[in-house]
């Protein structure tokens, strides 16, 4: 293993012979002082193309892996020997193209200097149109980076801010958003994210800037535009293991869970805006709306301080660009009670049970505004760190989907029972009606009873199953499956099968109550000149159960 020298001393102009190493720093008065390499850029388009910039204004280029070097220094720089070539970025689309950020603030010149070449440095073009030149904290350029996926999309950082160009640097506009006014020293495009490093303010990430790659004059002029989202990784949210960082430990929020979805609105929408996620079969797995979202009742008095609890957010409807994240979960199942799982992420603790994480695959995002819909595909990929395979998580999702269906059926069953009991309540002075109400209560259950819903605990023999109690049982099973990515165990399958059989018995019993028993109580009511009670509709479907 050894290093190979790729160049002569690159710190001297083309017309100056570098002194021998033994004479460095001891030249005659007035002799040219060599520079140090300040920046390097390797072409990702053509092997062997390397750009080097120095702190005395020079740019050197090799196209043959260092065998020969050419001086392609930018001509006409003010006080060229004092220019710092802080950054060179080789284009990801054209080997002859590169971008340069030069800094002359050491000479008292605080203006930005950015350049572009399309011919291997034979000619350079200044690209500073739209950049400020007189900011109090300095406007000199620090870094420039071209996008890795969209030609012509370029980012720049200066002593005071961050900028973007959509036309290869010909025009710039601010990308400051919520960034502080500080010095931006480096940038890197990582996948769909832009990461910037600052001097004294840390690291900032612009998560999934896919819309910047898709913006055109046509798209910005549309009444509604739904941008194609980047791929979403199926990552379970961080639960913090119930140990939050102390306030004195520097840390920041993780990126929003799941897929980031952007859409633009040219005017305030007149009505509700909706966003639906459809699976490959066209089934809606998640529905989101701009209508206000009521928090679960337990959020008013959670078991931990309120600042831990996630506040449900409707879809934004601002004029301009809007962003929402889909956490890759299906719609939450209806539950009679909710818990807040141990979570050490302030403002991010959701109520449980949650809808299951969808499996990897291609989904369709459908945005509807004023009755008109726009769609884009979205690819969900498996967490590369997870030991579970795609078949594992598909089996997990399949079982969770059955559990959710059971919760919906038990929810609907209780609602029908409650509606019937409300009609019977006016007639309970009649003994037969009171007896009938007791029969209804034995099937429906009481959502206010301790242990009657999700998350409840109790001792002694298991009480008789009701729609409410079974809903809580199924919710607990969903929560068990949330411990990680895994193929359901035999015990999990047996637990569902047992609950499904209970649900079969309850639905069958409820269907029976709507027959002869209801007819009997209606006969009594008719004899007493009272209005009969209609049967519950629609009729519930008895579930099909499989497994142990």
């Amino acid at each position: 293993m050894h290093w190979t020298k790729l160049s002569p001393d690159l710190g001297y102009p083309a017309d100056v012979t570098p002194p021998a190493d033994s004479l460095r720093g001891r030249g005659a008065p007035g002799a040219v002082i060599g520079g140090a390499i300040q920046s390097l850029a390797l072409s990702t388009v053509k092997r062997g193309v390397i750009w080097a910039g120095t702190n005395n204004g020079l740019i050197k280029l090799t196209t043959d892996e260092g065998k020969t070097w050419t001086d392609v220094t930018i001509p006409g720089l003010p006080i060229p020997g004092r220019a710092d070539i802080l950054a060179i970025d080789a284009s990801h689309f054209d080997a002859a193209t590169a971008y340069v950020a030069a800094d002359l603030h050491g000479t008292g010149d605080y203006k930005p200097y950015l350049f572009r070449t399309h011919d291997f440095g034979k000619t350079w073009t200044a690209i500073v149109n739209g950049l400020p030149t007189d900011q109090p904290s300095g406007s000199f350029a620090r870094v420039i980076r071209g996008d890795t996926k969209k030609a012509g999309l370029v980012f720049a950082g200066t002593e005071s801010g961050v900028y973007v160009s959509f036309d290869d640097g010909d025009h710039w506009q601010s990308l400051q958003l919520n960034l502080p006014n500080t010095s931006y020293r480096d940038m890197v495009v990582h996948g769909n994210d832009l990461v910037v490093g600052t001097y004294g303010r840390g690291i900032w990430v612009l998560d999934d800037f896919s819309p910047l790659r898709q913006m055109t004059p046509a798209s910005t002029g549309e009444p509604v535009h739904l941008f194609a989202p980047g791929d979403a990784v199926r990552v379970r949210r961080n639960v913090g293991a119930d140990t939050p960082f102390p306030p004195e430990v520097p840390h920041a929020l993780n990126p929003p869970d799941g897929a980031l979805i952007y859409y633009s609105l040219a005017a305030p929408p007149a009505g509700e805006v909706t966003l639906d996620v459809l699976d490959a079969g066209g089934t809606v797995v998640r529905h989101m709306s701009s209508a206000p979202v009521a928090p679960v009742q337990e959020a008013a008095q959670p078991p931990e301080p309120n600042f831990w609890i996630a506040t449900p957010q409707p879809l934004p409807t601002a004029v301009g660009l809007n962003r929402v994240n889909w956490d890759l979960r299906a719609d939450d199942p209806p539950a009679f009670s909710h818990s807040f799982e141990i979570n050490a992420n302030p403002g991010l603790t959701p109520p449980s049970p949650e809808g299951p994480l969808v499996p990897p695959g291609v989904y369709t995002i459908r945005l509807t505004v004023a009755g008109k819909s726009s769609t884009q595909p979205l690819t969900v990929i498996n967490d590369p760190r997870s030991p579970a395979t795609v078949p594992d998580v598909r089996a997990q999702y399949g079982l969770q989907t059955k559990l959710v269906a059971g919760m919906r059926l038990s929810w609907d069953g209780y609602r029908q029972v409650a509606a019937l009991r409300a009609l019977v309540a006016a007639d309970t002075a009649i003994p037969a009606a009171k007896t009938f109400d007791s029969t209804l209560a034995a099937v429906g259950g009481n959502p206010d009873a301790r242990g009657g819903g999700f998350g409840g605990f109790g001792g002694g023999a298991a009480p008789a199953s009701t729609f409410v109690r079974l809903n809580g049982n199924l919710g607990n099973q969903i929560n068990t499956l949330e411990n990680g990515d895994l193929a359901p165990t035999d015990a999990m399958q047996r637990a569902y099968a047992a609950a499904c059989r209970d649900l079969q018995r309850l639905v069958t019993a409820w269907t029976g109550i709507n027959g002869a028993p209801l007819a009997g109580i209606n006969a009594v009511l008719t004899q007493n000149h009272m209005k009969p009670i209609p049967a519950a509709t629609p009729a519930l479907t008895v579930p099909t159960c499989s497994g142990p």
Side-chain angles (χ1 to χ4, degrees):
M1 181 181 297
H2 65 279
W3 293 91
T4 300
K5 184 177 181 180
L6 286 185
S7 76
D9 190 331
L10 302 179
Y12 287 87
D15 56 353
V16 175
T17 301
D21 290 346
S22 61
L23 298 177
R24 288 296 167 87
R26 294 188 291 160
V32 176
I33 300 175
I37 294 175
Q38 189 85 322
S39 51
L40 279 174
L42 280 68
S43 174
T44 58
V45 178
K46 182 180 178 182
R47 181 183 176 90
V49 175
I50 306 173
W51 306 77
T54 70
N55 64 351
N56 59 342
L58 304 179
I59 299 177
K60 303 296 181 75
L61 170 68
T62 178
T63 59
D64 55 12
E65 293 189 305
K67 294 182 178 66
T68 60
W69 289 82
T70 304
D71 191 321
V72 293
T73 297
I74 300 169
L77 281 175
I79 319 178
R82 298 284 303 279
D84 248 344
I85 307 301
L86 290 182
I88 303 178
D89 195 58
S91 168
H92 296 276
F93 306 95
D94 174 25
T97 296
Y99 307 92
V100 167
D103 171 25
L104 282 153
H105 89 276
T107 69
D109 186 345
Y110 287 78
K111 296 189 296 294
Y113 289 92
L114 296 175
F115 297 89
R116 176 191 67 213
T117 181
H118 287 312
D119 54 10
F120 288 107
K122 293 185 177 73
T123 59
W124 291 92
T125 301
I127 48 172
V128 293
N129 187 23
L131 294 175
T133 60
D134 57 356
Q135 292 164 291
S137 50
S139 299
F140 51 94
R142 289 280 190 183
V143 61
I144 186 168
R145 297 283 184 253
D147 187 30
T148 58
K149 296 183 180 180
K150 176 67 180 293
L153 180 60
V154 189
F155 304 97
T158 72
E159 185 65 10
S160 299
V162 172
Y163 301 87
V164 61
S165 172
F166 297 95
D167 53 10
D168 209 31
D170 288 340
H171 302 86
W172 294 92
Q173 56 186 285
S174 175
L175 193 61
Q176 196 72 6
L177 303 175
N178 61 325
L179 290 172
N181 183 321
T182 190
S183 177
Y184 293 88
R185 301 297 181 94
D186 205 355
M187 292 180 168
V188 63
V189 174
H190 180 71
N192 294 331
D193 302 335
L194 177 64
V195 185
V196 298
T198 73
Y199 184 75
R201 291 292 183 271
I203 298 172
W204 296 73
V205 183
L206 182 60
D207 298 306
D208 193 357
F209 63 84
S210 296
L212 299 183
R213 292 171 171 154
Q214 303 169 48
M215 282 185 177
T216 63
S219 67
T220 55
E222 295 176 17
V224 178
H225 187 85
L226 175 63
F227 293 93
D231 293 350
V233 182
R234 187 181 182 276
V235 175
R236 292 186 176 275
R237 74 170 188 276
N238 172 32
V239 298
D242 75 348
T243 305
F245 284 124
E248 64 271 14
V249 174
H251 62 282
L253 291 175
N254 289 328
D257 293 334
L260 291 178
I261 301 167
Y262 293 86
Y263 54 91
S264 60
L265 303 175
E272 181 184 6
V273 175
T274 62
L275 185 71
D276 293 302
V277 182
L278 292 76
D279 64 16
T283 301
V284 175
V285 297
R286 184 66 177 270
H287 174 78
M288 291 173 273
S289 167
S290 62
V293 183
V296 299
Q297 62 180 1
E298 293 86 354
Q301 291 184 316
E304 54 263 350
N306 286 76
F307 69 82
W308 295 108
I309 306 305
T311 302
Q313 298 293 333
L315 292 179
T317 57
V319 173
L321 190 65
N322 294 274
R323 185 180 88 168
V324 65
N325 73 294
W326 171 44
D327 58 7
L328 305 187
R329 290 184 176 274
D331 284 321
D332 292 340
F336 295 102
S337 64
H338 303 82
S339 67
F340 293 91
E341 302 307 306
I342 296 175
N343 186 308
N345 297 281
L348 298 176
T349 305
S352 293
E354 296 182 272
L357 277 173
V358 300
V362 179
Y363 296 80
T364 299
I365 306 297
R366 183 175 65 201
L367 176 72
T368 303
V369 182
K372 296 182 179 180
S373 296
S374 307
T375 62
Q376 290 286 1
L378 168 64
T379 299
V380 175
I381 59 180
N382 207 20
D383 186 346
R385 305 166 304 171
S386 174
T389 65
V390 172
D392 288 341
V393 297
R394 288 191 183 281
Q396 182 179 27
Y397 180 73
L399 179 55
Q400 288 178 302
T401 300
K402 293 179 181 178
L403 291 165
V404 169
M407 291 188 72
R408 294 191 187 282
L409 184 55
S410 61
W411 175 272
D412 292 341
Y414 171 78
R415 291 301 178 192
Q416 288 190 1
V417 172
L420 198 59
R421 290 189 70 189
L423 296 175
V424 173
D427 307 320
T428 50
I430 299 175
K434 188 172 183 179
T435 301
F436 185 64
D437 181 70
S438 298
T439 301
L440 296 177
V443 174
N446 181 6
D448 298 322
R450 182 176 182 270
F454 176 76
F457 297 92
S465 186
T466 64
F467 281 131
V468 169
R469 189 172 296 279
L470 186 58
N471 182 276
N473 178 352
L474 295 167
N476 279 321
Q477 291 187 43
I478 287 179
N479 201 44
T480 299
L481 282 158
E482 284 295 316
N483 287 328
D485 294 340
L486 50 90
T489 64
D490 289 342
M492 292 173 175
Q493 298 284 12
R494 287 195 298 270
Y496 164 70
C500 185
R501 288 191 292 269
D502 281 346
L503 188 56
Q504 281 182 327
R505 287 190 286 269
L506 284 169
V507 172
T508 300
W510 172 236
T511 302
I513 289 173
N514 277 271
L518 180 60
I521 191 65
N522 279 336
V524 174
L525 294 176
T526 301
Q527 291 173 3
N528 286 272
H529 308 290
M530 302 176 77
K531 186 176 180 180
I533 299 171
T537 56
L540 299 183
T541 301
V542 178
T544 301
C545 302
S546 59

